[in-house]
Amino acid sequence: MSIWEAIVLGIVEGLTEFLPVSSTGHLTITSKILGQPIDDPSITAFTAVIQAGAIAAVILFFWTDIKRIAIAWVRGLAKPEHRGEFDHRMGWYVIVGSLPICIVGYLFRDFISGDLRSMWWVAGSLIAWSFVMVAAERLGSKKRPLEKITFFDSLMMGLLQCLALIPGVSRSGATISTGLFCGLDRVASTRMAFLLGIPALVGAAIFELKHALEGEVGLVPVLVGTAVSFVVAYASVAWLLKFVQKHSIEVFAFYRICLGLVILILLATSTITAT
């Protein structure tokens, strides 16, 4: 992998990691355009590792919240009288919501990085989950702020986050949609989606780092891609939080459907291959 290819993939990762459009799907598409073997273990590992840049960006952006929640969670473990505090409960909500994708991702890691790395999966998932996003916007009450989140909300968002292991679904798309279905407002759903993404993305990056360095990618492209994704992701997070305050996520669903249809046409006409 060349440096310029790592830069391109880093930009794509940073732009799409936290938008409900599927970063894995876009990285798979971009890798295909660049002529990379999208089902090669080192390439799939690279796309997972450069997520570390996006993780660092969201941790920096939410550092005050993360620190406050962590302190409250530890304090509640030591002193029972603090266990009713919102930040202590949020600590547990993030832990509980993060466990499903960590477990499922580890158990089915070979299938996820192999058989699912197909443009047919990407196109189909982009289109199919778009309808779920539209339904979430139109059926969800969107009345509850983050302070009203419950254990059930976090568990359901965590369980549906597992679907993001399918390229094209989108981790943020799955969690935000679930939050809306549960009655959380857009900002609450989005902020919780960011927090749930941190443990999942950290785990994936650590687990895949060895595979990325052992393959044809190399250390320098990994570092470059990670650095670029950090810068772009920070801006993307800030933009999305402002966007969802006043706008529906249906616009992303429309984009996903258009992109998915284009891919299907290219596949059906043999303009591109599935892997």
Side-chain angles (χ1 to χ4, degrees):
M1 180 180 293
S2 66
I3 299 301
W4 78 267
E5 288 175 325
I7 292 174
V8 170
L9 290 170
I11 293 173
V12 172
E13 162 61 23
L15 282 174
T16 61
E17 180 58 55
F18 298 107
L19 299 183
V21 296
S22 177
S23 63
T24 304
H26 279 74
L27 286 169
T28 302
I29 294 168
T30 307
S31 296
K32 183 69 176 176
I33 293 173
L34 294 174
Q36 300 286 351
I38 61 176
D39 57 347
D40 183 271
S42 63
I43 298 300
T44 57
F46 172 83
T47 60
V49 172
I50 64 172
Q51 292 174 342
I55 302 165
V58 80
I59 290 175
L60 179 62
F61 194 92
F62 288 103
W63 177 246
T64 301
D65 294 336
I66 293 171
K67 182 173 68 173
R68 189 184 66 250
I69 291 170
I71 292 173
W73 183 75
V74 173
R75 183 171 60 233
L77 293 179
K79 299 179 180 180
E81 62 269 24
H82 293 290
R83 293 175 186 173
E85 296 176 2
F86 169 72
D87 285 330
H88 175 77
R89 289 185 284 110
M90 269 296 293
W92 281 116
Y93 295 160
V94 172
I95 292 172
V96 169
S98 301
L99 286 176
I101 194 170
C102 293
I103 295 172
V104 174
Y106 178 77
L107 293 177
F108 296 95
R109 59 192 183 280
D110 293 334
F111 178 66
I112 294 166
S113 62
D115 294 351
L116 287 183
R117 295 291 171 160
S118 165
M119 296 299 289
W120 288 107
W121 274 107
V122 172
S125 300
L126 281 169
I127 295 171
W129 196 261
S130 298
F131 293 101
V132 178
M133 291 168 57
V134 172
E137 272 286 356
R138 300 188 179 187
L139 300 178
S141 63
K142 300 186 288 292
K143 293 181 177 180
R144 290 189 289 128
L146 188 62
E147 290 74 20
K148 298 295 183 180
I149 193 172
T150 66
F151 177 86
F152 177 78
D153 298 330
S154 63
L155 179 60
M156 292 305 298
M157 292 178 76
L159 289 173
L160 270 295
Q161 186 175 217
C162 294
L163 294 177
L165 295 170
I166 302 173
V169 170
S170 167
R171 190 196 55 76
S172 59
T175 47
I176 292 173
S177 298
T178 305
L180 295 178
F181 274 124
C182 289
L184 296 173
D185 62 38
R186 293 192 196 99
V187 174
S189 299
T190 303
R191 291 180 74 91
M192 189 61 182
F194 288 157
L195 293 174
L196 288 179
I198 294 172
L201 296 176
V202 168
I206 293 174
F207 185 81
E208 295 290 356
L209 179 59
K210 178 181 178 182
H211 301 290
L213 297 180
E214 286 180 344
E216 299 296 325
V217 177
L219 177 60
V220 175
V222 169
L223 293 177
V224 171
T226 302
V228 172
S229 72
F230 167 77
V231 175
V232 179
Y234 191 90
S236 178
V237 168
W239 178 84
L240 183 60
L241 281 174
K242 290 182 179 179
F243 179 85
V244 296
Q245 290 177 2
K246 298 180 180 180
H247 300 88
S248 166
I249 62 171
E250 287 188 34
V251 63
F252 296 110
F254 177 75
Y255 164 77
R256 290 165 57 101
I257 291 173
C258 292
L259 179 60
L261 289 175
V262 169
I263 296 172
L264 288 179
I265 292 172
L266 293 176
L267 288 169
T269 57
S270 298
T271 304
I272 61 173
T273 58
T275 58

